[in-house]
Amino acid sequence: MFSIKLLLKFLILFQCLGLASISILDGTSLGTYLFLYGGLAESLSYSLNYFISGLLMCIAALSLFKVWGPSLLLMALLFAIESFFKTMLGGSFASDLTLAAHLVRFAWPLLLGLVIIFDPSWQSLKRRDVLFFLKVMIAVTFFVHGIEALMMHPKFIDFIIVTNRKLGFLPATEAFARWSLYIIGAVDILAALGLVFKATRLTLIYMMVWGGLTAFIRFVYADIQGVPDVFLRAPHVGIPLLIWILGGFRVFKKSKKGSNEINRSSEAVKLA
């Protein structure tokens, strides 16, 4: 259970610091929406952004000492509000998919917050329905990202071209980026479906590795300004890792030969 609590602390810390930084640097979707369509004064819009950022920083600070159910619910609410009003604002490619693409960001703290509140012993985390919902939420995020890749999301094309240009490993052309997105989109969708219907070590490893790489690309793309976006995508790595731990997956499978030898040796001890 210690490893689970430590993982959740890192998830809360990174994710909240990511959105808190973005709220100060770029503003919140709620503040922008109220300013544009609700008649909110610009100064009050800034104050709202700072208030939301302060709440997120408090949640992050608390996570260093304790993973508290109510703070997880507040975190879920803040991330859900951000995703909802970003969808309402629109104006960007596939903005109507934002809520689904960001599902894991607010769904996991909502789920685990409720679990911890109703079962302070944390034993309910091992229930099959909890594990199933964790699988569904990260699968939806990967599935939607796969759809966006197949739709040739302009930002994804920019990420690939700029990253390849900076690192120099692969061709930095639009044609290569488009072909890459066909493959990436298909694999993301297959991984999402595979996780829900038949979770395997390979699927979880792919999600952890690819989730980490796509987060790191934000740093390569935008340098230091991309760090908050990297932190924001912590659940793309952390939730598959949590599923790995709760599901009892191992890095290496126990061989049948080895297990048979252990059984025979234990029987010999009993007979002796």
Side-chain angles (χ1 to χ4, degrees), residues 61-208:
L62 178 63
S63 71
L64 296 174
F65 305 96
K66 181 180 180 180
V67 179
W68 193 40
S71 67
L72 282 175
L73 295 185
L74 177 58
M75 174 183 170
L77 176 63
L78 294 175
F79 275 88
I81 289 173
E82 178 66 18
S83 298
F84 175 76
F85 281 99
K86 187 167 287 188
T87 304
M88 294 292 291
L89 283 169
S92 60
F93 186 87
S95 58
D96 53 331
L97 296 177
T98 300
L99 202 60
H102 294 178
L103 177 66
V104 71
R105 298 182 189 181
F106 58 85
W108 83 259
L110 173 62
L111 173 65
L112 297 193
L114 291 173
V115 169
I116 293 170
I117 288 173
F118 289 105
D119 181 15
S121 69
W122 290 54
Q123 294 303 313
S124 294
L125 281 177
K126 300 176 181 178
R127 290 173 43 152
R128 287 187 177 182
D129 52 352
V130 173
L131 188 60
F132 174 75
F133 284 124
L134 287 172
K135 291 177 182 178
V136 169
M137 63 183 67
I138 189 63
V140 168
T141 294
F142 268 78
F143 186 88
V144 174
H145 285 164
I147 295 296
E148 290 176 333
L150 294 178
M151 292 170 65
M152 299 293 120
H153 197 303
K155 200 167 186 178
F156 292 176
I157 294 175
D158 288 344
F159 284 152
I160 294 174
I161 293 174
V162 173
T163 301
N164 290 348
R165 185 178 296 149
K166 286 187 175 182
L167 300 181
F169 295 141
L170 296 169
T173 63
E174 184 176 346
F176 178 81
R178 288 182 177 276
W179 278 109
S180 299
L181 286 178
Y182 282 124
I183 298 172
I184 292 168
V187 174
D188 274 1
I189 291 172
L190 289 175
L193 295 174
L195 180 66
V196 173
F197 294 106
K198 180 64 177 178
T200 64
R201 294 183 304 161
L202 181 61
T203 303
L204 290 171
I205 290 172
Y206 167 78
M207 286 185 164
M208 286 186 279

Side-chain angles (χ1 to χ4, degrees), residues 8-23:
L8 294 185
K9 286 183 177 183
F10 276 112
L11 272 177
I12 297 167
L13 180 65
F14 284 125
Q15 201 175 329
C16 287
L17 287 180
L19 185 56
S21 302
I22 292 172
S23 299

